[in-house]
Amino acid sequence: MGALVKLVDAVLFLFFLLMAVCVPLFDAQACLPESLFPDALLDLKRGYSGRVGDYLVAEKPLFFVGLVWLEILFLWPLSILNLYGILAARPWFRTTCLIYGVSVATSMVAILSELTGSGKASDDLLMVYFPFLGLSLLAFLRGLLPCSTKTTSSISKKPALARKKRA
């Protein structure tokens, strides 16, 4: 079980690293003024949306902009926190990973529902968004797995009555 948890942590580390970089540089372009971004990043976004046909990035519907704000204000800091949690083997990592996974999965369900319901989405566009749903479910499941490192318990092994007498 320990090897599986370490493998999942490695995959999630790459996912959180990707999100820590892409959210402020790419995703934030959906709701922040273009003047804040260098031309190279703006061209990258335009090239991506043209190549893949990502009409959500190009047209910026209100629900998508709201989800990007959620990503910037909540998920981006949480992804950075999760990077630290993996590297430092913090016991709270399971909880933050669970929160992250549920939030991203919820956003991905909304986005994928729009994409499949609109009839505008190409297979290439769906293949861009579906991995994020899978990785969010992996993060959710990682929150349910035990910690990958051994931690010492802070709870005394003495009976409760013995602990009470000392206090």
Side-chain angles (χ1 to χ4, degrees):
M1 182 69 143
L4 176 65
V5 171
K6 288 189 185 292
L7 176 65
V8 169
D9 284 353
V11 170
L12 288 176
F13 183 83
L14 294 174
F15 176 51
F16 294 138
L17 186 61
L18 174 74
M19 297 310 291
V21 172
C22 288
V23 168
L25 298 179
F26 187 80
D27 295 349
Q29 292 181 40
C31 54
L32 296 176
E34 287 187 352
S35 62
L36 295 176
F37 300 97
D39 290 337
L41 288 176
L42 296 172
D43 292 341
L44 181 66
K45 181 191 82 160
R46 286 186 203 108
Y48 157 77
S49 64
R51 188 175 342 105
V52 180
D54 194 339
Y55 68 93
L56 295 176
V57 170
E59 296 173 10
K60 302 177 188 176
L62 291 179
F63 89 95
F64 184 72
V65 172
L67 290 175
V68 171
W69 273 115
L70 172 74
E71 192 174 29
I72 292 169
L73 297 174
F74 179 67
L75 294 174
W76 181 58
L78 198 56
S79 66
I80 294 170
L81 191 64
N82 282 337
L83 285 170
Y84 172 72
I86 289 173
L87 291 175
R90 294 292 184 208
W92 45 258
F93 170 68
R94 290 176 48 205
T95 304
T96 57
C97 203
L98 189 65
I99 294 167
Y100 190 92
V102 168
S103 183
V104 172
T106 303
S107 296
M108 285 299 106
V109 166
I111 289 171
L112 289 168
S113 296
E114 161 62 28
L115 292 176
T116 56
S118 71
K120 297 181 188 178
S122 66
D123 289 341
D124 290 340
L125 181 56
L126 291 173
M127 290 308 296
V128 168
Y129 283 100
F130 267 115
F132 288 100
L133 178 63
L135 288 166
S136 68
L137 295 175
L138 185 65
F140 170 75
L141 292 173
R142 175 57 183 98
L144 301 176
L145 292 175
C147 293
S148 61
T149 59
K150 292 182 180 180
T151 58
T152 57
S153 175
S154 62
I155 299 173
S156 175
K157 297 192 184 216
K158 294 181 181 179
L161 186 58
R163 285 193 309 249
K164 197 171 192 177
K165 287 181 183 177
R166 284 193 336 199

